[in-house]
Amino acid sequence: MTVFEKKVLRIISKIPLGEVRSYKWVAQKAGKPNAYRAVANALSKNKYPLFIPCHRVIYSSGEIGGYFLGKPLKEKLIKLEQKIKSMIK
DNA sequence: ATATAGCGGATCA
DNA sequence: TGATCCGCTATAT
């Protein structure tokens, strides 16, 4: 577990409910604006994916990226969270 | 829309 | 070290 990974995990865990961020955004917050690939790598090697809202991290284009649970599920989770967000509002 | 290169960090040999 | 992989991105067709 490297410092960079910790930063990434911390940052992603702070993403609000229903919000989505790009890999680039996360990389910038981690202090390595060009390390978006490393972010993806870190997440794929992440030991606790269920405790990290990695489904809120998508392409910079806004498209759903890859996901260890499957892209369709990832998209569903995002929409579900948006729904919850509007519900509790 | 597709192809390509580049890039940072992890992993393996 | 060096090669290779990745849940990527920007740029050029």
Side-chain angles (χ1 to χ4, degrees):
Chain A
M1 180 68 81
T2 65
V3 179
F4 180 75
E5 285 184 50
K6 287 183 185 177
K7 284 184 182 176
V8 170
L9 296 187
R10 278 182 60 98
I11 292 165
I12 293 180
S13 65
K14 287 179 184 294
I15 299 177
L17 180 69
E19 297 289 317
V20 295
R21 297 292 185 270
S22 69
Y23 287 91
K24 201 177 189 180
W25 183 92
V26 175
Q28 286 179 347
K29 288 294 181 182
K32 306 280 185 181
N34 302 340
Y36 33 78
R37 287 165 294 268
V39 174
N41 196 17
L43 289 180
S44 66
K45 310 289 183 186
N46 175 22
K47 191 177 178 183
Y48 308 103
L50 299 179
F51 298 90
I52 307 287
C54 48
H55 56 271
R56 293 175 189 160
V57 185
I58 61 180
Y59 290 172
S60 65
S61 60
E63 299 293 320
I64 301 296
Y67 192 45
F68 75 105
L69 290 178
K71 301 174 188 175
L73 178 58
K74 183 173 181 178
E75 190 173 11
K76 275 191 173 184
L77 283 172
I78 294 174
K79 295 198 172 184
L80 178 61
E81 288 187 345
Q82 290 175 342
K83 198 173 181 179
I84 293 172
K85 180 183 167 188
S86 64
M87 190 192 307
I88 66 180
K89 184 166 50 177

